Amino acid sequence: MLTLDGYLLAPRREQFSLAVDTYETWSLLLPRNGAFAFEVSGVPGGVAKFGDIVICPPGGVLWRRMQRPTAFFHARFSTELEPPTGLTRLLDLDRLRADLAMLDDNHAELIATHVVTDLVLLASRSHRPGDKLVLEATAYLHDHFASPDLSLADLADQLGISPGQLSRRFKAAHGVTPANYLRRTRLRRARELLTETDDTLQSIAERCGYRSAFYLSRVFSSQTGQSPSQYRQTVRV
């Protein structure tokens, strides 16, 4: 189904080694964090951030420029599939994170081939008819989870459907409701900040969409079985 021709899991960089390149095979480029501007010959350009994947067809020209320091994954591959060209916003961000985590744990070519195959399938799935609304909702939650004023009712209204319809369609795609997805996204970010920083709990709460450390602590404890302070001590042992 897919043959991997080469790949690069790059740490955070200020700029790409090459601003433009042409590949004989398919190629994909996605940011693990940060953001980059891009153009692919024959399709509209734009800005890619986490959750986006940019795919360039064989013989196409891929132009890219960092908008801010970015860690990224780049791969070249041959396939009988027809991946969507240009930018695709992936629906399943948890699966994307799992794929990238496999690359962190093991850089063997077999693992990388599996990851690239899955990324191509994820991109193709995100382009299926009927997924556009869920795609927009997922991108909105990912981009605005840090806002304590985020309203799922307002999101549904923005998409032109009822909150109930949004919940049903979102759950059909993700297996969880928008409210659960939002809470999970906020708590994932809280765990990252508890692990990687010495920020106060109030500061972490504000960066994760909660107005107070007390409320974050209550949600965190109910979902994980540990208080934020206990979690921080555990992961730093």
Side-chain angles (χ1 to χ4, degrees):
M1 182 182 292
L2 185 147
T3 301
L4 188 64
D5 297 314
Y7 66 96
L8 172 66
L9 186 67
R12 187 178 294 246
R13 294 182 177 182
E14 297 285 340
Q15 61 185 13
F16 289 104
S17 299
L18 296 174
V20 61
D21 209 342
T22 302
Y23 304 98
E24 295 181 359
T25 60
W26 290 91
S27 65
L28 66 81
L29 180 66
L30 63 86
R32 304 178 69 201
N33 52 50
F36 60 81
F38 74 92
E39 290 182 12
V40 175
S41 52
V43 299
V47 175
K49 52 193 173 183
F50 180 77
D52 296 328
I53 182 170
V54 177
I55 298 180
C56 182
V61 179
L62 174 60
W63 174 90
R64 57 279 177 115
R65 177 176 56 83
M66 297 292 191
Q67 288 208 325
R68 54 181 183 268
T70 300
F72 62 88
F73 177 61
H74 176 250
R76 294 175 287 107
F77 58 96
S78 301
T79 181
E80 296 177 359
L81 300 172
E82 286 293 331
T85 299
L87 183 142
T88 297
R89 183 71 176 177
L90 299 179
L91 284 169
D92 195 339
L93 298 186
D94 286 337
R95 190 161 159 183
L96 170 61
R97 290 187 181 94
D99 280 342
L100 295 176
M102 282 193 286
L103 291 173
D104 281 329
D105 293 339
N106 190 331
H107 288 218
E109 186 168 330
L110 180 62
I111 297 296
T113 299
H114 168 79
V115 168
V116 173
T117 301
D118 199 50
L119 291 173
V120 170
L121 293 174
L122 281 174
S124 298
R125 176 172 175 260
S126 296
H127 270 264
R128 289 177 184 171
D131 283 343
K132 186 173 184 297
L133 181 143
V134 175
L135 179 62
E136 292 178 7
T138 304
Y140 187 90
L141 292 178
H142 181 77
D143 292 342
H144 297 87
F145 75 88
S147 170
D149 297 319
L150 191 156
S151 166
L152 296 177
D154 289 345
L155 173 58
D157 185 63
Q158 180 177 314
L159 295 171
I161 61 174
S162 70
Q165 287 177 311
L166 171 61
S167 183
R168 286 192 296 273
R169 294 176 67 170
F170 196 96
K171 188 172 183 179
H174 289 293
V176 295
T177 65
N180 287 335
Y181 187 92
L182 175 60
R183 181 175 64 241
R184 191 166 64 184
T185 301
R186 285 171 166 170
L187 290 179
R188 180 184 298 108
R189 182 56 177 157
R191 287 194 295 270
E192 290 173 353
L193 293 172
L194 287 167
T195 302
E196 299 170 2
T197 76
D198 294 317
D199 292 356
T200 65
L201 191 57
Q202 179 62 37
S203 174
I204 291 174
E206 292 171 356
R207 294 174 65 181
C208 295
Y210 297 107
R211 297 188 187 279
S212 70
F214 172 79
Y215 190 67
L216 169 59
S217 182
R218 188 172 70 177
V219 175
F220 194 97
S221 298
S222 68
Q223 294 298 310
T224 68
Q226 291 180 300
S227 70
S229 59
Q230 289 171 331
Y231 178 81
R232 176 173 264 171
Q233 290 173 355
T234 300
V235 298
R236 292 190 173 186
V237 170

